[in-house]
């Protein structure tokens, strides 16, 4: 991502990408899905260098899927050129890495999904992001539900993490997470972050974001479930 583009986190941008992701009755578009993660990285960067590790991990996961999509696009373009397609300007879009379901079906058909050992694929990478998304959704929801004076964001972040993502993390990653929670700002930060004029407005925005995440999460969950991919190593 170029430093010349807007690097500032905006809840509206995040919401825009999240709402653009669901497509058809049960699918999720990968471009806006990954763009949503870009927005979350911007948020994490506002929390300072302690979040570098987390941002890096998200960046590394999103770039794995982006590189696969890019390679696919180049392959299709080359194929079209080789066949000297009379169609001329046929779009290279519409390949395997357009949506969650198209990726799953293509990678399965090509034998790229390894169910027994760690082999990098779009599907196993998506599963990692997907698990983190559940945590994020629960966290934002708890932040919205909890009224003033309740638990601190750091505590809610920790509690929801332990319930969800921590189940999939090793001992050392969990230690790193505990450190990261200490960088979690107070509620006032979130009010400023979403540019809310009142606490009620923050709650509404948090509900909208967590609702949009929920929609994306549920669709992805169902697709993973249907393809038996909920435990890819
Ligand atoms: C805001 C506080 C965040 C605290 C984050 C702690 C997260 C845990 C630390 C993660 C370090 C990453 C080390 C590597 C982990 C991998 O082992 C793991 C599995 O991958 P693999 O290839 O080894 O099988 N990777 C993952 O689980 C990927 C997910 C990483 C965590 C993603 C965290 C996303 C957090 C976003 C917070 C945004 C809050 C947004 C608020 C918006 C308000 C409108």
């Amino acid at each position: 991502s170029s430093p010349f583009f807007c690097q500032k986190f905006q809840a509206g941008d995040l919401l825009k990408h999240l709402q653009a992701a669901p497509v058809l009755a049960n699918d999720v578009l990968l471009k806006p899905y990954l763009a949503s993660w870009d927005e979350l990285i911007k948020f994490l960067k506002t929390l300072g260098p302690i979040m570098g590790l987390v941002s890096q991990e998200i960046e590394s996961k999103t770039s794995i899927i982006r590189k696969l999509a890019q390679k696919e696009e180049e392959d299709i373009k080359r194929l079209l050129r080789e066949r000297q397609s009379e169609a001329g300007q046929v779009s290279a879009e519409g390949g395997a890495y357009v949506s969650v379901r198209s990726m799953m079906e293509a990678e399965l058909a090509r034998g790229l999904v390894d169910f027994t050992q760690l082999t990098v694929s779009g599907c196993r990478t998506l599963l990692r992001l997907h698990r983190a998304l559940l945590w994020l959704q629960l966290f934002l929801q708890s932040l919205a539900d909890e009224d003033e004076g309740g638990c601190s964001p750091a505590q809610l972040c920790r509690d929801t993490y332990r319930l969800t993502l921590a189940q999939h993390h090793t001992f050392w990653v969990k230690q790193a997470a505990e450190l990261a929670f200490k960088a979690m700002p107070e509620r006032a930060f979130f009010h400023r972050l979403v540019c809310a004029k009142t606490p009620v407005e923050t709650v509404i925005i948090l509900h909208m974001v967590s609702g949009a995440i929920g929609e994306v999460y549920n669709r992805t969950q169902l697709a993973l479930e249907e393809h038996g991919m909920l435990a890819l190593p």
Side-chain angles (χ1 to χ4, degrees):
S1 51
S2 155
F4 300 104
F5 287 103
C6 177
Q7 290 293 305
K8 202 166 160 290
F9 171 82
Q10 290 195 350
D13 288 343
L14 173 60
L15 202 56
K16 189 185 72 188
H17 294 307
L18 286 167
Q19 288 172 341
V23 67
L24 301 174
N26 61 0
D27 213 352
V28 174
L29 291 172
L30 284 175
K31 259 190 191 143
Y33 183 91
L34 298 172
S36 308
W37 280 108
D38 293 343
E39 293 302 317
L40 290 167
I41 291 173
K42 286 184 198 167
F43 167 79
L44 289 172
K45 285 190 169 156
T46 67
L47 299 185
I50 207 168
M51 288 301 164
L53 189 69
V54 186
S55 311
Q56 245 175 48
E57 168 66 6
I58 300 173
E59 252 158 354
S60 113
K61 291 284 185 276
T62 52
S63 74
I64 287 173
I65 301 178
R66 283 198 168 108
K67 279 185 190 133
L68 288 167
Q70 206 182 332
K71 191 181 170 297
E72 170 87 5
E73 215 174 294
E74 280 157 16
D75 286 349
I76 295 177
K77 277 184 185 153
R78 184 161 24 79
L79 208 73
L80 288 174
R81 266 200 309 276
E82 278 167 15
R83 290 186 183 164
Q84 291 171 324
S85 162
E86 60 278 13
Q89 291 296 79
V90 180
S91 162
E93 288 198 55
Y97 293 88
V98 167
S99 73
V100 162
R101 282 176 186 270
S102 70
M103 175 174 79
M104 288 174 179
E105 269 134 41
E107 289 198 335
L108 274 178
R110 296 169 190 177
L112 296 175
V113 187
D114 196 330
F115 288 84
T116 56
Q117 58 177 340
L118 202 167
T119 306
V120 175
S121 64
C123 290
R124 70 88 59 193
T125 305
L126 176 79
L127 177 62
R128 268 64 197 176
L129 292 170
H130 175 69
R131 287 167 172 169
L133 211 52
L134 176 62
W135 167 44
L136 193 56
Q137 198 231 326
L138 284 183
F139 168 55
L140 295 179
Q141 198 181 312
S142 70
L143 198 59
D145 290 342
E146 193 65 30
D147 40 11
E148 281 305 318
C151 287
S152 68
Q155 191 57 44
L156 296 172
C157 197
R158 181 180 296 115
D159 292 346
T160 49
Y161 170 76
R162 286 179 181 163
L163 279 173
T164 54
L165 194 56
Q167 319 272 337
H168 306 286
H169 280 168
T170 59
F171 176 80
W172 288 111
V173 171
K174 281 188 270 199
Q175 298 306 304
E178 292 297 330
L179 274 180
F181 298 142
K182 296 195 197 304
M184 203 60 185
E186 289 300 322
R187 273 170 198 277
F189 180 93
F190 286 89
H191 296 316
R192 285 196 303 271
L193 181 76
V194 302
C195 299
K197 288 175 199 76
T198 62
V200 176
E201 228 176 85
T202 306
V203 167
I204 293 170
I205 294 168
L206 288 175
H207 269 306
M208 284 173 78
V209 174
S210 101
I213 292 178
E215 178 68 30
V216 169
Y217 178 85
N218 291 340
R219 286 164 173 251
T220 311
Q221 175 72 9
L222 203 63
L224 285 164
E225 222 171 271
E226 282 174 22
H227 292 88
M229 291 182 182
L230 284 171
L232 291 180

